[in-house]
Amino acid sequence: GLGTLLLQYLVDHAQRNRIRLLRGYVLPVNQSMLRLLQRYGASRQCESDGTLCFELNPSEAGYINTAIV
């Protein structure tokens, strides 16, 4: 879906520009994004307000094969 394409674009951009860490915040109810970040190997922590903080090292991120149609 769109989330997969956008995340892959961010990871590719980060790899090309030697960005070492991507960080994002996700609401616990966003199950689709939680599964996607898990597939990429992102680590997560719970914030005090209940949101989840994900960190992803672009050089270690799993690549998800997607096709733009």
Side-chain angles (χ1 to χ4, degrees):
L2 183 58
T4 303
L5 292 173
L6 291 172
L7 184 57
Q8 187 61 55
Y9 176 82
L10 289 172
V11 168
D12 290 344
H13 179 79
Q15 289 172 340
R16 285 192 309 275
N17 290 282
R18 298 183 181 168
I19 296 170
R20 294 181 290 174
L21 182 69
L22 295 175
R23 181 178 293 145
Y25 296 88
V26 181
L27 294 173
V29 296
N30 192 343
Q31 292 297 312
S32 296
M33 184 54 77
L34 296 176
R35 282 191 301 274
L36 179 59
L37 288 165
Q38 183 178 17
R39 287 177 23 209
Y40 269 83
S43 63
R44 78 177 184 185
Q45 292 182 306
C46 187
E47 297 292 306
S48 61
D49 65 357
T51 59
L52 299 173
C53 176
F54 280 87
E55 292 186 346
L56 178 62
N57 180 336
S59 65
E60 297 174 1
Y63 183 81
I64 305 214
N65 190 9
T66 59
I68 299 175
V69 181

